[in-house]
Amino acid sequence: MSRIGKIARLPHDIREQLNRRLLDGQSGPEILDWVNELPPCRQMLAQKFGGRPIDDGNLSEWRHDGYEEWLWHEDRRDRLGSVFEQVAKLDAIGDGHEVAERLGAIVAAELARALNLLEGISDMNDRWFRLREICRELSRFRRENCNHQRLRLAEQRLENESERQHNQKRLQPENSQKLNQKSRLTLCTNSG
């Protein structure tokens, strides 16, 4: 969702630094002094806001909106980082199906978490927008899950067919020997 406030219009790297300062517990006045002195900030404020500086109200609004979203993304990035580490460990062990199932469980948990977060959104347009995003991801997740299950079934069928053919080949010489013995017995009894 596109934001239009003063802080939202700052370059990404400055917003990132500002968010880090908030995370570190730096006070509002310290942050405002710092950000309002930055040349890119001063230039943007002059062009879009008549040179009016970022004030405590702007920072407060950002804390409850942009900063919260940033925290959510940071948390998600950290969790995904640890998930990928776990996947790498599992991948080293070997079972690809187990990895896919664990990742599927993580995705399902993330979708459930996103649904729970909808309750805290009072703006109906924002809520509807996010619900549609969740539905799109849920649909993609279910489609991939079905594809994964089809692939596993196809692998199982192939494995069963291969085993059946192997057993047939193994039993073929035995059946041929039995047939030859039966034929000899029949010849012996007919000629006798």
Side-chain angles (χ1 to χ4, degrees), residues 25-191:
Q26 201 171 75
S27 73
E30 287 177 305
I31 293 172
L32 291 173
D33 287 344
W34 164 77
V35 75
N36 282 313
E37 291 301 316
L38 296 172
C41 179
R42 294 178 108 165
Q43 182 181 2
M44 182 275 299
L45 291 170
Q47 288 174 351
K48 300 188 187 286
F49 297 98
R52 290 186 308 277
I54 296 172
D55 60 27
D56 198 42
N58 302 128
L59 188 58
S60 178
E61 185 179 315
W62 180 257
R63 273 189 182 146
H64 298 296
D65 204 7
Y67 176 65
E68 285 296 321
E69 185 176 322
W70 178 82
L71 282 175
W72 183 82
H73 284 289
E74 286 296 298
D75 180 55
R76 185 172 180 218
R77 186 179 333 189
D78 289 346
R79 279 186 283 119
L80 285 176
S82 67
V83 165
F84 288 131
E85 285 176 17
Q86 290 174 343
V87 168
K89 288 176 187 173
L90 286 173
D91 202 28
I93 293 171
D95 189 357
H97 295 302
E98 186 178 323
V99 172
E101 287 175 15
R102 286 182 186 219
L103 283 175
I106 291 167
V107 169
E110 283 294 318
L111 287 170
R113 184 174 181 268
L115 279 171
N116 286 335
L117 290 175
L118 284 178
E119 292 177 17
I121 300 173
S122 58
D123 181 330
M124 292 309 287
N125 289 331
D126 188 25
R127 190 175 181 153
W128 177 242
F129 174 79
R130 290 178 190 237
L131 180 61
R132 284 192 323 242
E133 283 182 331
I134 292 168
C135 288
R136 213 175 7 255
E137 291 303 317
L138 179 59
S139 176
R140 187 177 305 148
F141 171 70
R142 293 192 67 184
R143 192 171 42 251
E144 289 301 319
N145 196 30
C146 286
N147 288 340
H148 177 70
Q149 288 177 353
R150 273 192 222 110
L151 180 63
R152 286 189 77 173
L153 286 173
E155 287 174 348
Q156 187 63 47
R157 274 191 232 118
L158 183 62
E159 193 175 299
N160 290 345
E161 179 62 23
S162 176
E163 188 175 325
R164 186 184 66 76
Q165 288 177 358
H166 175 66
N167 287 339
Q168 274 184 334
K169 286 180 183 176
R170 189 175 50 85
L171 292 175
Q172 212 167 22
E174 289 177 22
N175 288 340
S176 293
Q177 284 178 351
K178 287 179 184 177
L179 189 61
N180 284 340
Q181 287 174 352
K182 197 174 188 182
S183 296
R184 280 190 226 145
L185 280 175
T186 306
L187 283 174
C188 288
T189 53
N190 287 342
S191 53

